[in-house]
Amino acid sequence: MEDLTSPKQDKKNQELGEARRPWEEIAASSQDPKSGLSEPLEPEQWLETGPQPRSGPPQSPQSRASPPLDDVTGPGAPSPPSPAPEASFIPSTLALARQQLAAPWQSDRTTDVNPKAETPHSHRLEQSSDQGKSTAPQTCQSEGDIFQQSQQTERHLYGPEDVSNNNSKQKELRFNIFQEEDSNSNYELDHTESGVSEGAPSPLEIAIQSAKAYLLKTSSKSGLNLYDHLSDMLTKVLDERPENAVDIIESISQDVKMAHFRKKLDTLQNENEMLPIYETAEKQKALFLQGNLEGVDQELEDEIAENSLPNVMESAFYFEQAGVGLGTDETYRIFLALKQLTDTHPIQRCRFWGKILGLEMNYIVAEVEFREGEDEEDVEDEDVTEERDDGDSDAEENDEDELPRTFYKTPQVIPKEENRTGANKYVYFVCNEPGGTWVKLPPVTPAQIVTARKIKKFFTGRLETPIVSYPPFPGNESNYLRAQIARISAGTHVSPLGFYQFGEEEGEEEEEVEGRRDSFEENPDFEGIQVIDLVESLSNWVHHVQHILPQGRCNWFNPIQKSEEEEEEEDEEKEEEKEEPEYMEQEVGPPLLTPISEDLEIQNMPPWTTRLSSTLIPQYAIAILRSNLWPGAYAFSNGKKFENFYIGWGHKYSPDNYTPPALPPVYQEYPSGAEITEMDDPSVEEEQAFRAAREAAALPVEEMGETEEDEDEDDDSDQE
Amino acid sequence: MDAESLLLSLELASGSGQGLSPDRRASLLTSLTLVKRDYRYDRVLFWGRILGLVADYYIAQGLSEDQLAPRKTLYRRGRGRKLGNQDPGDVVGSLNCMEWSLLPPATEEMVVQTSVLKGRFMGDPSHEYEHTELQKMSEGEKVFEEEVVVQIKEETRLVSVIDQIDKAVAVIPRGALFKTPFGPIHVNRTFEGLSLSEAKKLSSYFHFKEPVELKNKTLLEKADLDPSLDFMDPLEHDIPKGSWSIQMERGNALVVLRSLLWPGLTFFHAPRTKNYGYIYVGTGEKNIDLPFML
């Protein structure tokens, strides 16, 4: 009822509008349950609404000092509702609208939020305006609420200094809006009372409201909103009545904006938001600087001659012809990072291996070879622990003879290959981004390679991440990364036929005899291969990295010999002899410098794809080789030069989906035989027969007596 | 990525190593302009390429203004007007990147049909995959199974794969498109890029397709949505969780999203700029091993 009556009353009591406010508050609060009802329908509309302070005190522009105005703004005005939550949050746009009805000449005030204001109202205001900026406002926040608050705040802080004229047009517009809002009374939302909608607002009203809300959205830069700005502009135009307002409207707009002098109050701007970019820039600055310093200090030809830095940009250029690569800018940064690496380590040869993508960060991988004798040897912790284990077990054996020990022996640990041989021929450094620190990857062990073949995991980009997998992976992500690098290198590093040749000292024969790696060297007489030949025939490309055996090593390691030498336990030797035939089969892979035309097919799919970089200008095109087995591995050759590059997730291709390896076989229980089964207890007849037989044999009685006594004693003790 | 800003976009997307060689870039810039004229598209997007064993498919998509207008849909691709072209690397043809041919629109049936195919694309649209399947034949009372050889053209497979990728992982940042009150979706001219904090969240990116999940949301979840911006499904609820890798590159100057479900799809966005786009360079195979790999 109050709803209906109050507007009329308002109209009647125009002058009393302000004085009546407390009553209106009550009225509004009584409406609340109803008005809260529309809440679920509305919130979307209010997303954009930066809850903005809005003007609208019923001040008549002509009479600034008129009584109602004084009532509103003067210190003696009825103080706005106390900040007690319910009371103050019960907004009354309704009331406001009524006031507007009541005071048709009510003017718009440029309001502005003062974030530093210390009154509780403004505090709340600040909060809500923040919410507005973050576009996650509390949707239940009603517009009217803010309205009022801002009004109050304004009055408290500034007083009616900004009161200005209003255009009748605008007034009418606002009037309409408010009327509609009023009629629906869905305007007010309440925090505490979740409601059921009384009546759905029509789309048009929603549209109007959301449009208005949008206009009232405060810019985070200047703190202005378009609504107030427009009203200010119109006010200014009407005040000054310029001749050709439409022509100079831009400058008016500018003037109005200029008139808003504002202290920079938001000193707490989030400056550290940009920190990472600066950090990176700072790091990378070091890359660029070091080049300069080095250049100045050592412009010796020797240094340049000894330079181990690869020409990354050149190969990047060729790879770009192939449509692969990282972009000029990133490549150059990597180039500089490699320079940093070669300057700080005793590196003989360095190569940009590629990039492995990760979930959070990526890895940039450099392949290096240390200068002779300057390897940084790692202490082999594993062996030490193994020895300890053996010692412990021996001790246990001595202590307890009676109980059987476990027969299970952990399978022979296949030792890793020495540095500079096999899969550990090169050392790999990784960093997450150019300018970051280079981390040296540990050498790879056969067990890691074997396990890595059975699992398929994404890299996260953090080296110390544990690899959770079945079968359990021995190591963390750095080991897995290293294993994948070894596998990819072994599979995809190829060179044109004839570029490398076997070294004279270490031939194939020696390799087979010693089981050592075979080495190769650059062929000084290499004359190059026609590019078109490289494209048309895969047999012109050869692997120059050793094949990794199923064992996980490049060179065969015979586990049985070692085990016999190390552990000379007769029982177990027997067991091993049984298994010997399995072990003795030496795994053989394709030898070094095998043409890739002999690579295995992937289910009727060729493992390599070749093509010419350009058909338009074939005379300067280069041959591009793409691995289908390791998607992301590329090689190019222009006949004389070649390079390999990998970029991708570090996974092997398989047309079928990944299947986890089967569970290991369940160990069979011991067969039930003579050792397990027992006879029935001896019966009385048997014992008597036995005794008779013994007596007949005239055995010494004493012993029997003793034993019997013992038994008796035992019985006694049991009874006791 | 937009064909007009192809070069910048390629540079931005290069962190994944997927790019175009200079001659391809040049020819694409030329030919896509002509495609735009000939088919009267409003925009032409370079969609990516699918690596085949023999040759690659280069794919572009045309968007036309008319297609944005219908009220029922929020956007529509140029009615399946996806253009495929064979890589000129083919020895036989002196094809260049200039000749584009129209691909037929994908249908449900095609997707079902081609779902049995595995392995890589060949690079020859007329290549026919042979697939044997068991069909139940009934003759009178007897029911027996018979092996039927189904032949599927690679073109069909290409179309359906492109369609699947588009539906699954085409990405657009929040705010780049907006829905007008009357329904149509327009490019948001005032889009000025995501802020840094938003750019790191998956909820700031949408699937570039009709919403599926949106209708299933509760009122409470919808409460925070802005109907003019949040009219598509955000990425954050993708299944399985973690099917996206989100990274900040070059300091914080570039955010890169990589789909793990369809490895090869890279989305890039430079925060606070209008530069965004996605490109697919890959084999056209879905990564069904994803749960094992995370």
Side-chain angles (χ1 to χ4, degrees):
Chain A
M1 289 310 290
E2 280 165 342
D3 286 354
L4 298 173
T5 53
S6 56
K8 290 174 199 165
Q9 286 175 0
D10 262 351
K11 272 179 190 169
K12 285 176 196 165
N13 309 328
Q14 289 179 8
E15 301 299 320
L16 302 174
E18 261 318 299
R20 281 171 19 80
R21 277 192 62 189
W23 179 84
E24 279 167 8
E25 292 294 338
I26 296 160
S29 66
S30 68
Q31 293 166 358
D32 253 336
K34 266 188 262 165
S35 52
L37 307 178
S38 59
E39 176 185 328
L41 295 175
E42 290 250 321
E44 290 178 353
Q45 298 302 324
W46 294 106
L47 246 191
E48 284 283 300
T49 323
Q52 279 318 311
R54 242 171 304 163
S55 59
Q59 295 158 344
S60 82
Q62 293 95 344
S63 59
R64 287 194 181 185
S66 71
L69 185 65
D70 280 340
D71 276 353
V72 175
T73 57
S79 67
S82 73
E86 276 110 11
S88 67
F89 270 86
I90 290 155
S92 103
T93 28
L94 211 55
L96 266 174
R98 276 178 227 129
Q99 285 166 10
Q100 288 191 344
L101 282 173
W105 285 103
Q106 159 250 351
S107 76
D108 231 357
R109 279 180 42 193
T110 331
T111 58
D112 81 75
V113 189
N114 184 348
K116 297 263 158 157
E118 284 175 2
T119 61
H121 292 299
S122 61
H123 182 62
R124 212 177 302 130
L125 197 62
E126 191 183 344
Q127 272 183 342
S128 53
S129 66
D130 279 346
Q131 285 165 353
K133 279 176 209 161
S134 65
T135 66
Q138 293 198 357
T139 50
C140 322
Q141 193 80 279
S142 92
E143 198 182 356
D145 183 8
I146 287 111
F147 234 103
Q148 207 173 30
Q149 281 178 29
S150 67
Q151 237 175 306
Q152 292 154 4
T153 319
E154 281 307 314
R155 257 168 247 140
H156 280 300
L157 294 173
Y158 298 114
E161 70 223 81
D162 265 348
V163 180
S164 46
N165 287 321
N166 208 341
N167 186 328
S168 59
K169 241 187 188 175
Q170 191 195 1
K171 178 193 64 198
E172 218 169 86
L173 177 76
R174 303 193 60 201
F175 178 83
N176 286 340
I177 290 170
F178 275 105
Q179 234 178 359
E180 271 157 10
E181 286 160 359
D182 203 355
S183 66
N184 259 308
S185 83
N186 59 10
Y187 201 55
E188 300 170 9
L189 312 167
D190 200 343
H191 270 292
T192 49
E193 287 158 297
S194 71
V196 195
S197 130
E198 191 181 34
S202 80
L204 185 61
E205 282 158 15
I206 293 179
I208 291 172
Q209 284 171 12
S210 88
K212 188 177 172 198
Y214 169 71
L215 290 181
L216 283 162
K217 193 174 168 185
T218 310
S219 150
S220 57
K221 255 189 193 168
S222 61
L224 296 176
N225 68 53
L226 189 58
Y227 196 104
D228 292 342
H229 180 66
L230 286 176
S231 73
D232 281 357
M233 273 169 62
L234 293 172
T235 307
K236 190 175 166 73
V237 170
L238 289 182
D239 276 353
E240 298 175 357
R241 303 270 173 188
E243 277 294 304
N244 39 3
V246 68
D247 296 336
I248 58 166
I249 189 75
E250 290 90 353
S251 53
I252 291 175
S253 164
Q254 203 173 8
D255 287 349
V256 170
K257 276 191 183 171
M258 301 265 277
H260 284 280
F261 172 71
R262 201 168 308 278
K263 271 193 229 169
K264 197 191 175 193
L265 294 165
D266 46 353
T267 46
L268 288 177
Q269 224 169 16
N270 38 2
E271 306 233 353
N272 51 355
E273 195 180 20
M274 293 293 283
L275 264 182
I277 200 170
Y278 294 136
E279 270 174 24
T280 319
E282 195 66 40
K283 264 188 219 159
Q284 296 192 336
K285 187 182 163 195
L287 290 180
F288 292 97
L289 281 183
Q290 54 129 22
N292 285 339
L293 295 175
E294 293 285 323
V296 173
D297 290 341
Q298 314 161 343
E299 273 185 336
L300 303 170
E301 287 181 12
D302 299 346
E303 285 290 329
I304 293 166
E306 275 181 30
N307 194 4
S308 53
L309 195 65
N311 193 346
V312 174
M313 291 315 283
E314 188 190 6
S315 38
F317 166 77
Y318 285 118
F319 277 118
E320 196 188 347
Q321 309 301 306
V324 195
L326 295 170
T328 327
D329 144 63
E330 189 174 355
T331 313
Y332 199 77
R333 285 175 209 275
I334 291 170
F335 195 9
L336 288 174
L338 286 179
K339 178 167 168 44
Q340 190 188 37
L341 181 69
T342 52
D343 286 343
T344 50
H345 292 79
I347 286 166
Q348 188 178 18
R349 201 177 136 271
C350 176
R351 210 175 71 78
F352 178 36
W353 188 87
K355 180 173 176 181
I356 286 191
L357 303 177
L359 298 181
E360 295 160 29
M361 284 179 285
N362 305 321
Y363 292 115
I364 291 162
V365 185
E367 180 183 87
V368 306
E369 215 172 343
F370 282 116
R371 274 185 219 131
E372 208 65 51
E374 297 193 49
D375 295 13
E376 297 164 21
E377 294 284 344
D378 294 70
V379 183
E380 294 177 6
D381 292 349
E382 291 172 21
D383 295 347
V384 177
T385 51
E386 275 170 32
E387 283 167 18
R388 273 182 204 154
D389 285 347
D390 288 346
D392 290 346
S393 57
D394 286 342
E396 280 174 21
E397 203 174 0
N398 295 334
D399 290 344
E400 306 168 23
D401 283 326
E402 294 173 7
L403 292 175
R405 288 183 60 240
T406 174
F407 290 115
Y408 178 76
K409 275 182 62 187
T410 46
Q412 171 67 38
V413 177
I414 298 166
K416 70 180 181 192
E417 288 168 299
E418 288 303 307
N419 287 350
R420 293 173 178 275
T421 62
N424 286 325
K425 184 171 181 185
Y426 300 108
V427 178
Y428 293 90
F429 281 86
V430 296
C431 64
N432 288 123
E433 55 187 359
T437 46
W438 289 98
V439 180
K440 185 182 161 196
L441 291 180
V444 69
T445 64
Q448 285 161 359
I449 288 183
V450 170
T451 316
R453 282 183 172 137
K454 294 179 189 159
I455 63 175
K456 197 174 177 187
K457 297 290 272 185
F458 275 121
F459 292 97
T460 63
R462 284 172 284 111
L463 283 175
E464 60 284 349
T465 316
I467 301 280
V468 181
S469 67
Y470 173 78
F473 186 79
N476 55 19
E477 187 164 300
S478 63
N479 300 102
Y480 182 49
L481 178 65
R482 181 65 185 80
Q484 289 301 88
I485 289 175
R487 295 176 65 204
I488 293 170
S489 304
T492 66
H493 280 190
V494 293
S495 56
L497 179 67
F499 191 89
Y500 288 118
Q501 61 182 8
F502 288 113
E504 288 167 10
E505 297 151 16
E506 299 171 277
E508 284 179 39
E509 300 156 20
E510 198 179 337
E511 169 219 348
E512 280 179 13
V513 173
E514 288 253 348
R516 273 180 56 84
R517 71 186 174 103
D518 45 0
S519 71
F520 53 82
E521 58 190 23
E522 273 187 40
N523 184 357
D525 305 328
F526 181 61
E527 288 171 354
I529 297 181
Q530 285 292 313
V531 168
I532 196 73
D533 292 339
L534 285 170
V535 172
E536 282 176 357
S537 169
L538 283 179
S539 53
N540 283 324
W541 295 88
V542 295
H543 286 281
H544 63 262
V545 173
Q546 277 181 291
H547 178 81
I548 300 184
L549 300 170
Q551 192 187 37
R553 287 168 59 103
C554 293
N555 304 308
W556 173 246
F557 168 78
N558 196 345
I560 177 173
Q561 292 172 355
K562 289 269 180 175
S563 64
E564 279 176 2
E565 287 169 15
E566 286 176 1
E567 303 159 31
E568 296 169 357
E569 291 176 29
E570 292 172 12
D571 300 331
E572 282 162 351
E573 218 171 72
K574 281 175 196 165
E575 280 178 22
E576 277 179 12
E577 274 166 17
K578 291 174 199 164
E579 296 169 11
E580 223 171 276
E582 285 180 30
Y583 275 95
M584 285 310 287
E585 245 179 78
Q586 178 171 347
E587 294 164 357
V588 187
L592 208 54
L593 303 188
T594 310
I596 60 172
S597 52
E598 291 173 24
D599 281 9
L600 292 177
E601 281 195 344
I602 330 161
Q603 297 189 0
N604 304 324
M605 251 181 273
W608 296 91
T609 296
T610 55
R611 70 182 42 167
L612 213 54
S613 68
S614 171
T615 44
L616 299 172
I617 315 172
Q619 57 268 42
Y620 294 117
I622 55 168
I624 293 155
L625 193 65
R626 188 165 79 200
S627 172
N628 294 328
L629 191 60
W630 291 96
Y634 293 84
F636 83 85
S637 172
N638 63 355
K640 300 225 171 196
K641 285 182 178 165
F642 80 96
E643 190 57 83
N644 297 290
F645 182 71
Y646 179 85
I647 179 157
W649 295 99
H651 295 135
K652 197 170 182 170
Y653 174 78
S654 132
D656 299 317
N657 49 338
Y658 167 78
T659 316
L663 291 170
V666 177
Y667 284 98
Q668 295 301 316
E669 286 183 18
Y670 199 87
S672 172
E675 297 168 32
I676 304 295
T677 49
E678 293 178 352
M679 290 186 296
D680 293 336
D681 289 341
S683 60
V684 180
E685 289 82 11
E686 282 171 342
E687 283 189 10
Q688 284 172 346
F690 177 67
R691 179 168 296 180
R694 193 181 49 185
E695 282 170 2
L699 285 171
V701 186
E702 291 173 2
E703 288 180 16
M704 283 302 294
E706 278 176 17
T707 51
E708 278 173 9
E709 279 171 16
D710 287 345
E711 284 170 10
D712 290 345
E713 281 172 12
D714 287 345
D715 290 346
D716 292 343
S717 62
D718 284 345
Q719 284 165 3
E720 283 167 12
Chain B
M1 51 180 69
D2 238 327
E4 279 154 19
S5 57
L6 187 69
L7 295 184
L8 173 68
S9 307
L10 282 175
E11 177 67 24
L12 289 177
S14 63
S16 315
Q18 288 136 355
L20 289 173
S21 58
D23 60 329
R24 292 283 186 289
R25 286 186 207 177
S27 54
L28 278 177
L29 279 176
T30 311
S31 65
L32 290 180
T33 315
L34 293 178
V35 164
K36 185 175 168 185
R37 183 195 65 185
D38 294 344
Y39 289 98
R40 300 187 185 176
Y41 290 131
D42 187 44
R43 289 166 72 199
V44 175
L45 304 181
F46 178 62
W47 186 86
R49 63 176 171 150
I50 290 184
L51 308 174
L53 290 177
V54 182
D56 295 346
Y57 293 102
Y58 289 81
I59 315 290
Q61 282 179 333
L63 305 182
S64 48
E65 181 106 61
D66 299 353
Q67 300 302 325
L68 291 170
R71 289 192 187 183
K72 278 187 184 171
T73 54
L74 58 156
Y75 72 95
R76 214 186 270 167
R77 294 296 158 73
R79 290 200 183 269
R81 294 198 155 184
K82 287 149 193 171
L83 310 163
N85 191 16
Q86 241 189 313
D87 190 307
D90 200 333
V91 183
V92 185
S94 60
L95 294 168
N96 40 36
C97 235
M98 309 305 288
E99 288 156 21
W100 295 86
S101 55
L102 214 57
L103 289 181
T107 58
E108 288 277 323
E109 191 189 349
M110 278 181 176
V111 176
V112 174
Q113 196 183 16
T114 54
S115 62
V116 294
L117 298 178
K118 281 193 221 166
R120 299 278 300 266
F121 281 85
M122 294 303 293
D124 173 16
S126 55
H127 175 81
E128 288 196 340
Y129 296 94
E130 289 191 351
H131 174 69
T132 53
E133 60 182 28
L134 293 175
Q135 279 191 352
K136 280 188 179 173
M137 306 288 284
S138 57
E139 281 187 9
E141 293 174 358
K142 287 182 180 176
V143 178
F144 57 92
E145 290 186 338
E146 192 177 320
E147 285 192 353
V148 180
V149 178
V150 184
Q151 290 195 325
I152 304 170
K153 277 183 83 174
E154 181 156 286
E155 193 185 38
T156 316
R157 189 184 170 203
L158 181 68
V159 169
S160 76
V161 162
I162 292 171
D163 187 56
Q164 283 179 57
I165 293 177
D166 249 359
K167 282 185 178 154
V169 288
V171 180
I172 200 150
R174 182 176 187 269
L177 296 181
F178 75 100
K179 190 179 197 173
T180 57
F182 302 105
I185 312 301
H186 288 290
V187 174
N188 189 354
R189 287 169 194 281
T190 59
F191 177 64
E192 289 184 339
L194 300 170
S195 72
L196 259 183
S197 52
E198 282 173 343
K200 289 175 185 167
K201 285 183 275 185
L202 275 184
S203 52
S204 313
Y205 301 94
F206 289 131
H207 285 289
F208 193 19
K209 60 163 185 178
E210 299 258 7
V212 180
E213 297 293 322
L214 205 59
K215 295 165 205 154
N216 304 335
K217 284 196 168 178
T218 61
L219 278 177
L220 204 62
E221 285 169 320
K222 278 185 185 172
D224 287 340
L225 301 182
D226 182 338
S228 66
L229 296 180
D230 300 291
F231 52 88
M232 291 185 279
D233 286 333
L235 293 187
E236 60 177 342
H237 299 303
D238 278 14
I239 298 171
K241 221 173 171 61
S243 58
W244 290 94
S245 145
I246 188 162
Q247 282 191 29
M248 305 300 293
E249 289 191 357
R250 305 186 186 185
N252 270 3
L254 183 68
V255 57
V256 175
L257 264 74
R258 296 191 179 93
S259 172
L260 306 181
L261 196 59
W262 290 92
L265 187 118
T266 309
F267 169 88
F268 56 89
H269 173 53
R272 296 181 177 160
T273 71
K274 280 187 181 182
N275 300 321
Y276 65 89
Y278 65 92
I279 183 172
Y280 180 83
V281 181
T283 58
E285 289 168 292
K286 192 175 182 175
N287 178 16
I288 39 184
D289 306 335
L290 184 60
F292 291 109
M293 296 168 72
L294 289 173

